[in-house]
Every structure is written in structure tokens, then in C-alpha cells.
Coordinates of all heavy atoms in Angstrom, one line a residue:
M1 N 0.8 -1.2 0.0 CA 0.0 0.0 0.0 C 0.9 1.2 0.0 O 1.9 1.3 0.7 CB -0.9 0.0 1.2 CG -1.5 1.3 1.5 SD -3.1 1.4 2.2 CE -4.0 0.0 1.5
T2 N 0.5 2.2 -0.8 CA 1.2 3.5 -0.8 C 0.4 4.5 -0.2 O -0.8 4.5 -0.2 CB 1.6 3.9 -2.2 OG1 0.4 4.0 -3.0 CG2 2.6 2.9 -2.9
Y3 N 1.0 5.5 0.5 CA 0.4 6.5 1.2 C 0.7 7.8 0.5 O 1.8 8.1 0.2 CB 0.8 6.6 2.6 CG 0.5 5.3 3.4 CD1 1.5 4.4 3.5 CD2 -0.7 5.1 4.0 CE1 1.3 3.2 4.2 CE2 -1.0 4.0 4.7 CZ 0.0 3.0 4.8 OH -0.2 1.8 5.4
S4 N -0.3 8.6 0.2 CA -0.2 9.9 -0.4 C -1.3 10.8 0.0 O -2.3 10.3 0.5 CB -0.1 9.7 -1.9 OG -1.4 9.3 -2.4
F5 N -1.2 12.1 -0.4 CA -2.3 13.0 -0.1 C -3.6 12.6 -0.8 O -4.7 12.6 -0.3 CB -1.9 14.4 -0.4 CG -3.0 15.4 -0.2 CD1 -3.4 15.8 1.0 CD2 -3.8 15.8 -1.3 CE1 -4.5 16.7 1.2 CE2 -4.9 16.7 -1.1 CZ -5.2 17.1 0.2
L6 N -3.3 12.2 -2.1 CA -4.5 11.8 -2.9 C -5.2 10.6 -2.3 O -6.4 10.5 -2.2 CB -4.0 11.4 -4.3 CG -4.0 12.6 -5.3 CD1 -3.5 12.1 -6.7 CD2 -5.3 13.3 -5.4
R7 N -4.4 9.6 -1.8 CA -5.0 8.4 -1.2 C -5.8 8.8 0.1 O -6.9 8.3 0.3 CB -3.8 7.4 -0.8 CG -4.3 6.1 -0.3 CD -5.1 5.3 -1.3 NE -5.9 4.3 -0.8 CZ -5.5 3.0 -0.8 NH1 -4.3 2.7 -1.3 NH2 -6.3 2.1 -0.2
L8 N -5.2 9.7 0.9 CA -5.9 10.1 2.1 C -7.2 10.8 1.8 O -8.2 10.5 2.4 CB -5.0 11.1 2.9 CG -3.9 10.5 3.7 CD1 -3.0 11.7 4.2 CD2 -4.4 9.7 4.8
A9 N -7.2 11.6 0.7 CA -8.4 12.3 0.3 C -9.4 11.3 -0.2 O -10.6 11.4 0.2 CB -8.1 13.4 -0.7
A10 N -9.0 10.4 -1.0 CA -9.9 9.4 -1.5 C -10.5 8.5 -0.4 O -11.8 8.3 -0.4 CB -9.2 8.5 -2.6
E11 N -9.7 8.1 0.5 CA -10.2 7.3 1.7 C -11.2 8.1 2.5 O -12.2 7.6 3.1 CB -9.1 6.8 2.5 CG -8.3 5.7 1.8 CD -9.2 4.5 1.4 OE1 -10.1 4.2 2.1 OE2 -8.8 3.8 0.4
A12 N -10.9 9.4 2.7 CA -11.8 10.3 3.5 C -13.2 10.3 2.8 O -14.2 10.2 3.5 CB -11.3 11.7 3.6
L13 N -13.2 10.3 1.5 CA -14.5 10.4 0.8 C -15.3 9.1 0.8 O -16.5 9.0 0.7 CB -14.3 10.8 -0.7 CG -13.8 12.2 -0.8 CD1 -13.5 12.5 -2.3 CD2 -14.9 13.2 -0.4
R14 N -14.5 7.9 0.9 CA -15.3 6.7 0.8 C -15.3 6.0 2.2 O -15.4 4.7 2.3 CB -14.7 5.7 -0.2 CG -13.3 5.3 -0.1 CD -13.0 4.3 -1.2 NE -11.6 3.9 -1.1 CZ -11.0 3.0 -1.9 NH1 -11.8 2.3 -2.7 NH2 -9.8 2.7 -1.8
G15 N -15.2 6.8 3.2 CA -15.4 6.3 4.6 C -14.3 5.4 5.1 O -14.5 4.5 6.0
Q16 N -13.1 5.6 4.7 CA -11.9 4.9 5.2 C -12.0 3.3 5.1 O -11.6 2.6 5.9 CB -11.6 5.2 6.7 CG -11.6 6.7 7.0 CD -10.5 7.5 6.4 OE1 -9.5 6.9 6.0 NE2 -10.6 8.8 6.3
T17 N -12.6 2.9 4.0 CA -12.9 1.5 3.8 C -11.8 0.7 3.0 O -11.9 -0.5 2.9 CB -14.2 1.2 3.2 OG1 -14.3 2.0 1.9 CG2 -15.4 1.7 4.1
G18 N -10.9 1.5 2.4 CA -9.9 0.8 1.5 C -8.6 0.5 2.1 O -7.7 0.0 1.4
W19 N -8.4 0.8 3.3 CA -7.1 0.6 3.9 C -6.9 -0.9 4.2 O -7.8 -1.6 4.6 CB -6.9 1.4 5.2 CG -7.0 2.8 5.1 CD1 -8.0 3.6 5.6 CD2 -6.1 3.7 4.4 NE1 -7.8 5.0 5.3 CE2 -6.6 5.0 4.6 CE3 -4.9 3.6 3.7 CZ2 -6.0 6.2 4.0 CZ3 -4.3 4.7 3.2 CH2 -4.8 6.0 3.3
T20 N -5.6 -1.3 4.1 CA -5.3 -2.7 4.5 C -4.3 -2.6 5.7 O -3.6 -1.6 5.8 CB -4.6 -3.5 3.3 OG1 -3.5 -2.7 2.9 CG2 -5.6 -3.7 2.2
P21 N -4.2 -3.7 6.5 CA -3.3 -3.6 7.6 C -1.8 -3.3 7.2 O -1.4 -3.9 6.1 CB -3.4 -5.0 8.3 CG -4.7 -5.5 7.9 CD -5.0 -4.9 6.5
A22 N -1.2 -2.5 7.9 CA 0.2 -2.1 7.5 C 1.2 -2.9 8.3 O 2.4 -2.6 8.3 CB 0.4 -0.6 7.8
W23 N 0.8 -3.9 9.0 CA 1.7 -4.7 9.8 C 1.5 -6.2 9.5 O 0.4 -6.6 9.0 CB 1.6 -4.5 11.3 CG 0.2 -4.6 11.7 CD1 -0.5 -5.7 12.1 CD2 -0.8 -3.5 11.8 NE1 -1.8 -5.5 12.5 CE2 -2.0 -4.1 12.3 CE3 -0.7 -2.2 11.6 CZ2 -3.1 -3.4 12.5 CZ3 -1.9 -1.4 11.8 CH2 -3.1 -2.0 12.3
R24 N 2.5 -7.0 9.8 CA 2.4 -8.5 9.6 C 1.5 -9.0 10.8 O 1.4 -8.4 11.8 CB 3.7 -9.1 9.6 CG 4.6 -8.7 8.5 CD 6.0 -9.4 8.6 NE 6.7 -9.1 9.8 CZ 7.1 -10.1 10.7 NH1 6.9 -11.4 10.4 NH2 7.7 -9.8 11.8
N25 N 1.1 -10.2 10.6 CA 0.4 -10.9 11.7 C 1.0 -12.3 11.9 O 0.3 -13.3 11.6 CB -1.1 -11.0 11.3 CG -2.0 -11.4 12.5 OD1 -1.5 -11.4 13.7 ND2 -3.2 -11.9 12.3
P26 N 2.2 -12.4 12.3 CA 2.9 -13.6 12.4 C 2.5 -14.5 13.5 O 2.0 -14.0 14.5 CB 4.4 -13.2 12.5 CG 4.3 -11.9 13.3 CD 3.0 -11.3 12.8
E27 N 2.7 -15.8 13.4 CA 2.6 -16.7 14.5 C 3.6 -16.4 15.6 O 4.8 -16.1 15.2 CB 2.8 -18.1 14.1 CG 1.6 -18.7 13.4 CD 0.3 -18.8 14.2 OE1 0.4 -19.3 15.4 OE2 -0.7 -18.3 13.8
P28 N 3.3 -16.4 16.9 CA 4.4 -16.2 17.9 C 5.5 -17.2 17.8 O 5.2 -18.4 17.5 CB 3.6 -16.3 19.2 CG 2.2 -16.1 18.9 CD 2.0 -16.6 17.5
K29 N 6.7 -16.8 18.1 CA 7.8 -17.7 18.1 C 7.8 -18.4 19.5 O 7.2 -18.0 20.4 CB 9.1 -16.9 17.9 CG 9.2 -16.3 16.5 CD 10.6 -15.9 16.1 CE 11.1 -14.7 16.9 NZ 12.3 -14.2 16.3
P30 N 8.6 -19.5 19.6 CA 8.6 -20.3 20.8 C 9.3 -19.5 22.0 O 8.9 -19.7 23.1 CB 9.4 -21.5 20.5 CG 9.6 -21.6 19.1 CD 9.3 -20.2 18.5
D31 N 10.2 -18.6 21.7 CA 10.8 -17.8 22.7 C 11.3 -16.5 22.2 O 11.6 -16.3 21.0 CB 12.0 -18.6 23.4 CG 13.0 -19.0 22.4 OD1 13.8 -18.1 21.9 OD2 13.1 -20.2 22.0
Y32 N 11.5 -15.6 23.1 CA 12.0 -14.2 22.8 C 13.0 -13.8 23.9 O 13.0 -14.3 25.0 CB 10.8 -13.2 22.8 CG 9.8 -13.4 21.7 CD1 8.7 -14.2 21.9 CD2 10.0 -12.8 20.5 CE1 7.8 -14.4 20.9 CE2 9.1 -13.0 19.5 CZ 8.0 -13.8 19.7 OH 7.1 -14.0 18.7
D33 N 13.9 -12.9 23.5 CA 14.8 -12.4 24.5 C 14.1 -11.3 25.4 O 14.5 -11.2 26.6 CB 16.0 -11.7 23.8 CG 16.8 -12.7 23.0 OD1 16.9 -13.9 23.5 OD2 17.4 -12.4 21.9
V34 N 13.2 -10.6 24.8 CA 12.5 -9.6 25.6 C 11.0 -9.6 25.2 O 10.7 -9.7 24.0 CB 13.0 -8.2 25.3 CG1 12.3 -7.1 26.1 CG2 14.5 -8.1 25.6
L35 N 10.1 -9.5 26.2 CA 8.7 -9.3 25.9 C 8.3 -7.9 26.4 O 8.6 -7.6 27.6 CB 7.9 -10.4 26.7 CG 7.9 -11.8 26.1 CD1 7.0 -12.7 27.1 CD2 7.4 -11.9 24.7
V36 N 7.7 -7.1 25.6 CA 7.3 -5.8 26.0 C 5.7 -5.9 26.0 O 5.1 -6.3 25.1 CB 7.7 -4.7 25.0 CG1 7.2 -3.4 25.4 CG2 9.2 -4.7 24.9
V37 N 5.2 -5.5 27.2 CA 3.7 -5.6 27.3 C 3.1 -4.2 27.0 O 3.4 -3.3 27.8 CB 3.3 -6.1 28.7 CG1 1.7 -6.1 28.8 CG2 3.8 -7.5 28.9
G38 N 2.4 -4.1 25.9 CA 1.8 -2.8 25.6 C 2.4 -2.2 24.4 O 3.6 -1.8 24.4
G39 N 1.6 -2.0 23.3 CA 2.1 -1.4 22.1 C 1.7 0.1 22.0 O 1.2 0.5 21.0
G40 N 1.9 0.8 23.1 CA 1.8 2.3 23.0 C 3.1 2.9 22.7 O 4.0 2.2 22.2
G41 N 3.2 4.2 22.9 CA 4.5 4.9 22.5 C 5.7 4.3 23.3 O 6.7 4.1 22.7
H42 N 5.5 4.1 24.6 CA 6.6 3.6 25.4 C 7.0 2.2 25.0 O 8.2 1.9 24.8 CB 6.3 3.6 26.9 CG 6.3 5.0 27.4 ND1 5.2 5.6 28.0 CD2 7.3 6.0 27.4 CE1 5.5 6.9 28.4 NE2 6.7 7.1 28.0
G43 N 6.0 1.3 24.8 CA 6.4 -0.1 24.4 C 7.1 -0.2 23.0 O 8.0 -0.9 22.8
L44 N 6.5 0.6 22.1 CA 7.1 0.6 20.7 C 8.5 1.2 20.7 O 9.4 0.7 20.1 CB 6.2 1.3 19.7 CG 4.8 0.6 19.5 CD1 4.0 1.5 18.5 CD2 5.0 -0.8 19.0
A45 N 8.7 2.3 21.5 CA 10.0 2.9 21.6 C 11.0 2.0 22.3 O 12.1 1.9 21.9 CB 9.9 4.2 22.4
T46 N 10.5 1.3 23.3 CA 11.4 0.3 23.9 C 11.9 -0.7 23.0 O 13.1 -1.0 22.9 CB 10.7 -0.4 25.1 OG1 10.3 0.6 26.1 CG2 11.5 -1.4 25.8
A47 N 11.0 -1.3 22.2 CA 11.4 -2.3 21.2 C 12.3 -1.7 20.1 O 13.3 -2.3 19.8 CB 10.1 -2.9 20.5
Y48 N 12.0 -0.5 19.7 CA 12.8 0.1 18.7 C 14.2 0.4 19.2 O 15.2 0.1 18.5 CB 12.1 1.5 18.2 CG 12.9 2.3 17.3 CD1 12.9 1.9 15.9 CD2 13.7 3.4 17.7 CE1 13.7 2.7 15.0 CE2 14.4 4.1 16.8 CZ 14.4 3.8 15.4 OH 15.2 4.5 14.6
Y49 N 14.3 0.9 20.4 CA 15.7 1.3 20.9 C 16.5 0.1 21.3 O 17.7 0.1 21.3 CB 15.6 2.4 21.9 CG 15.3 3.7 21.3 CD1 14.1 4.3 21.4 CD2 16.3 4.4 20.6 CE1 13.8 5.5 20.8 CE2 16.1 5.6 20.0 CZ 14.8 6.2 20.1 OH 14.6 7.4 19.5
L50 N 15.8 -1.0 21.8 CA 16.5 -2.2 22.0 C 17.2 -2.7 20.8 O 18.3 -3.1 20.8 CB 15.5 -3.3 22.5 CG 15.1 -3.2 24.0 CD1 14.0 -4.2 24.3 CD2 16.3 -3.5 24.9
A51 N 16.5 -2.6 19.6 CA 17.0 -3.1 18.4 C 18.1 -2.1 17.9 O 19.2 -2.5 17.5 CB 15.9 -3.2 17.3
R52 N 17.8 -0.8 17.9 CA 18.7 0.1 17.3 C 20.0 0.4 18.1 O 21.1 0.4 17.6 CB 18.0 1.5 17.1 CG 18.8 2.4 16.1 CD 18.2 3.7 15.9 NE 18.7 4.7 16.9 CZ 18.5 6.0 16.9 NH1 17.7 6.5 16.0 NH2 19.0 6.8 17.8
E53 N 19.8 0.5 19.4 CA 20.9 0.9 20.3 C 21.7 -0.4 20.9 O 22.8 -0.3 21.2 CB 20.5 1.7 21.5 CG 19.8 3.0 21.0 CD 20.8 4.0 20.3 OE1 22.0 4.0 20.6 OE2 20.3 4.6 19.3
H54 N 21.0 -1.5 21.0 CA 21.6 -2.6 21.7 C 21.6 -3.9 20.8 O 22.1 -4.9 21.3 CB 20.8 -2.9 23.0 CG 20.8 -1.7 23.9 ND1 21.9 -1.3 24.6 CD2 19.8 -0.8 24.1 CE1 21.5 -0.2 25.3 NE2 20.3 0.1 25.0
G55 N 21.1 -3.8 19.6 CA 21.1 -5.0 18.7 C 20.2 -6.1 19.2 O 20.4 -7.3 18.7
I56 N 19.3 -5.9 20.1 CA 18.4 -6.9 20.6 C 17.1 -6.9 19.7 O 16.3 -6.0 19.9 CB 18.1 -6.7 22.1 CG1 19.3 -6.7 22.9 CG2 17.1 -7.8 22.6 CD1 19.1 -6.3 24.3
T57 N 17.1 -7.8 18.8 CA 16.0 -7.8 17.8 C 14.9 -9.0 18.0 O 13.9 -9.0 17.4 CB 16.5 -7.9 16.4 OG1 17.3 -9.1 16.3 CG2 17.4 -6.7 16.1
N58 N 15.3 -9.9 18.9 CA 14.3 -11.0 19.2 C 13.3 -10.5 20.3 O 13.4 -11.0 21.4 CB 15.1 -12.2 19.6 CG 14.2 -13.5 19.6 OD1 13.1 -13.5 19.0 ND2 14.6 -14.4 20.4
V59 N 12.5 -9.6 19.9 CA 11.6 -8.9 20.8 C 10.2 -9.0 20.4 O 9.9 -8.9 19.2 CB 12.0 -7.4 20.9 CG1 11.0 -6.6 21.8 CG2 13.4 -7.2 21.3
A60 N 9.3 -9.3 21.3 CA 7.8 -9.3 21.0 C 7.2 -8.2 21.7 O 7.5 -7.9 22.9 CB 7.2 -10.6 21.4
V61 N 6.3 -7.5 21.1 CA 5.5 -6.4 21.7 C 4.1 -7.0 21.8 O 3.5 -7.3 20.7 CB 5.5 -5.1 20.9 CG1 4.6 -4.1 21.6 CG2 6.9 -4.6 20.8
L62 N 3.6 -7.2 23.0 CA 2.2 -7.8 23.2 C 1.2 -6.7 23.4 O 1.4 -5.9 24.3 CB 2.2 -8.7 24.4 CG 3.2 -9.9 24.4 CD1 3.1 -10.7 25.6 CD2 3.0 -10.8 23.1
E63 N 0.2 -6.6 22.5 CA -0.8 -5.5 22.6 C -2.1 -6.1 22.7 O -2.5 -6.9 21.8 CB -0.6 -4.6 21.4 CG -1.7 -3.6 21.2 CD -2.0 -2.8 22.5 OE1 -1.1 -2.1 23.0 OE2 -3.1 -2.7 22.9
K64 N -2.9 -5.8 23.7 CA -4.2 -6.4 23.9 C -5.3 -5.8 22.9 O -6.3 -6.4 22.7 CB -4.7 -6.2 25.3 CG -5.1 -4.8 25.7 CD -5.6 -4.8 27.1 CE -6.0 -3.4 27.5 NZ -6.6 -3.3 28.8
G65 N -5.0 -4.6 22.4 CA -6.0 -4.0 21.4 C -5.3 -3.9 20.1 O -4.9 -4.9 19.5
W66 N -5.2 -2.7 19.6 CA -4.4 -2.4 18.4 C -3.3 -1.5 18.8 O -3.4 -0.8 19.8 CB -5.3 -1.9 17.3 CG -6.0 -0.6 17.6 CD1 -5.5 0.6 17.4 CD2 -7.3 -0.5 18.2 NE1 -6.4 1.6 17.8 CE2 -7.5 0.9 18.3 CE3 -8.2 -1.3 18.7 CZ2 -8.7 1.4 18.9 CZ3 -9.4 -0.8 19.3 CH2 -9.6 0.5 19.4
I67 N -2.3 -1.4 17.9 CA -1.1 -0.6 18.2 C -1.6 0.9 18.4 O -2.3 1.4 17.5 CB -0.1 -0.6 17.0 CG1 0.4 -2.1 16.8 CG2 1.0 0.4 17.2 CD1 1.3 -2.5 17.9
G68 N -1.2 1.5 19.5 CA -1.6 2.8 19.8 C -3.0 3.0 20.3 O -3.5 4.1 20.2
S69 N -3.6 1.9 20.7 CA -5.0 2.0 21.2 C -5.2 2.5 22.6 O -6.3 2.7 23.0 CB -5.7 0.6 21.0 OG -5.1 -0.3 21.9
G70 N -4.1 2.7 23.3 CA -4.1 3.3 24.6 C -4.1 4.8 24.6 O -4.7 5.4 23.7
N71 N -3.5 5.4 25.6 CA -3.5 6.9 25.6 C -2.8 7.5 24.4 O -3.2 8.6 24.0 CB -2.8 7.3 26.9 CG -3.7 7.1 28.1 OD1 -5.0 7.1 28.0 ND2 -3.1 6.9 29.3
A72 N -1.9 6.8 23.8 CA -1.2 7.3 22.7 C -2.1 7.7 21.6 O -1.9 8.6 20.8 CB -0.1 6.4 22.2
G73 N -3.2 6.9 21.4 CA -4.1 7.1 20.3 C -5.3 8.0 20.7 O -6.1 8.3 19.9
R74 N -5.3 8.4 22.0 CA -6.5 9.2 22.4 C -6.2 10.7 22.3 O -7.1 11.5 22.5 CB -6.8 8.9 23.9 CG -7.5 7.7 24.0 CD -8.1 7.5 25.4 NE -8.3 6.1 25.6 CZ -7.7 5.5 26.6 NH1 -7.0 6.1 27.5 NH2 -7.9 4.2 26.7
Q75 N -5.0 11.1 22.0 CA -4.6 12.5 22.2 C -5.4 13.5 21.3 O -5.6 14.6 21.7 CB -3.1 12.7 21.9 CG -2.4 11.9 23.0 CD -0.9 12.1 22.8 OE1 -0.4 13.2 22.5 NE2 -0.2 11.0 22.9
H76 N -5.8 13.0 20.1 CA -6.5 14.0 19.2 C -7.9 13.7 19.0 O -8.5 14.1 18.0 CB -5.7 13.9 17.9 CG -4.2 14.3 18.1 ND1 -3.8 15.5 18.5 CD2 -3.1 13.5 18.0 CE1 -2.5 15.5 18.6 NE2 -2.1 14.3 18.4
R77 N -8.5 12.9 19.9 CA -10.0 12.7 19.7 C -10.8 13.8 20.3 O -10.4 14.5 21.2 CB -10.3 11.3 20.3 CG -9.8 10.2 19.5 CD -10.2 8.9 20.0 NE -9.5 7.8 19.3 CZ -9.4 6.6 19.8 NH1 -9.8 6.3 20.9 NH2 -8.7 5.7 19.1
Ligands
LIG1 C1 -6.6 12.8 26.4 C2 -5.1 12.7 26.4 C3 -4.3 13.7 25.8 C4 -2.9 13.6 25.9 N1 -2.2 14.6 25.3 C5 -0.8 14.5 25.3 C6 -0.1 15.5 24.6 O1 -0.6 16.5 24.0 N2 1.3 15.4 24.7 C7 1.9 14.4 25.3 O2 3.1 14.3 25.3 N3 1.2 13.4 26.0 C8 -0.1 13.5 26.0 N4 -0.9 12.6 26.7 C9 -0.2 11.5 27.4 C10 0.3 10.4 26.5 O3 -0.7 10.0 25.6 C11 0.8 9.3 27.4 O4 1.7 9.7 28.3 C12 1.4 8.2 26.5 O5 0.5 7.9 25.4 C13 1.7 7.0 27.4 O6 2.2 6.1 26.5 P1 2.3 4.6 27.0 O7 2.9 3.8 25.9 O8 2.9 4.5 28.4 O9 0.8 4.2 27.3 P2 -0.4 3.9 26.2 O10 -0.3 4.7 25.0 O11 -1.6 3.9 27.0 O12 -0.1 2.4 25.8 C14 -0.3 1.3 26.6 C15 -0.7 0.1 25.8 O13 -0.7 -1.1 26.5 C16 -1.8 -1.9 26.2 N5 -2.0 -2.8 27.3 C17 -2.4 -2.5 28.5 N6 -2.5 -3.5 29.3 C18 -2.1 -4.6 28.5 C19 -2.0 -6.0 28.7 N7 -2.3 -6.5 29.9 N8 -1.6 -6.8 27.7 C20 -1.3 -6.2 26.5 N9 -1.4 -4.9 26.2 C21 -1.8 -4.1 27.2 C22 -2.9 -0.9 25.9 O14 -3.9 -1.4 25.0 C23 -2.1 0.3 25.2 O15 -2.1 0.2 23.8 C24 -2.3 12.6 26.6 C25 -3.1 11.6 27.2 C26 -4.4 11.6 27.1 C27 -5.3 10.5 27.8

């Protein structure tokens, strides 16, 4: 999927029905080096910086809703 101003405008007109998920939905692996509970800003940043700064990439972020569904996603409602 590509994102552009035109795409945003088209989706606004047709009720946001044409988007597809932007993330994978993989089966969980048998083990991880780190489990992060919560896919809000802090959880995602933790996973990102573990990978970028420490090379720890075998990380799972467990989210009970959808990514950013906590306070991170409430800020502009
Ligand atoms: C109305 C409002 C306006 C705000 N405005 C601003 C602002 O202008 N500027 C600013 O800097 N901050 C603002 N904040 C604060 C900011 O949103 C929070 O500080 C920030 O989002 C916290 O991030 P977080 O990752 O800790 O929590 P959250 O974003 O709440 O993420 C926690 C995640 O954990 C998940 N979770 C919880 N329990 C479990 C579980 N047992 N298993 C799996 N997943 C779980 C939740 O579903 C959620 O997605 C605002 C907050 C609110 C409510």
C-alpha cells in the first residue's frame, strides 16, 4: 500500500474502507529475548531502541488491542 495525499483524500470520501493492515500478523515464536507488554508509545519505543541501540531484535510487543490504542491514540480525539 502506498500513502499519499490523494490516497488520504480518496479514503476520506469513501469512509476509510480501502485501507489494508500495515503490519504483519505472524505466529508467535517459541521464545523471545524480551517481551514488552503494551504497544503504546513507550512499548514501541522500547522495542525500537532495544534493536537500534543494543542490537536486541528478538523482541515481541504484546498488545491487547491495536497498536496505539491506549492513551497514545487518544490524544487527538
Ligand atoms: C486525552 C489525552 C491527551 C494527551 N495529550 C498529550 C499531549 O498532548 N502530549 C503528550 O506528550 N502526551 C499527551 N498525553 C499523554 C500520552 O498520551 C501518554 O503519556 C502516552 O501515550 C503514554 O504512553 P504509554 O505507551 O505509556 O501508554 P499507552 O499509549 O496507554 O499504551 C499502553 C498500551 O498497553 C496496552 N495494554 C495495557 N494492558 C495490557 C495488557 N495486559 N496486555 C497487553 N497490552 C496491554 C494498551 O492497550 C495500550 O495500547 C495525553 C493523554 C491523554 C489521555
Side-chain angles (χ1 to χ4, degrees):
M1 164 147 325
T2 56
Y3 300 95
S4 66
F5 176 77
L6 274 181
R7 184 66 196 263
L8 284 173
E11 289 300 331
L13 291 175
R14 64 175 175 175
Q16 312 292 343
T17 55
W19 299 112
T20 55
W23 52 86
R24 297 181 302 124
N25 193 16
E27 283 297 311
K29 296 198 287 190
D31 58 73
Y32 293 92
D33 296 327
V34 178
L35 287 177
V36 178
V37 179
H42 286 121
L44 295 177
T46 299
Y48 176 79
Y49 285 104
L50 279 172
R52 197 183 91 170
E53 301 296 325
H54 304 285
I56 301 171
T57 57
N58 189 25
V59 177
V61 179
L62 305 178
E63 170 53 55
K64 70 176 181 178
W66 60 90
I67 297 293
S69 64
N71 286 332
R74 280 194 206 121
Q75 294 181 45
H76 301 293
R77 288 183 189 160

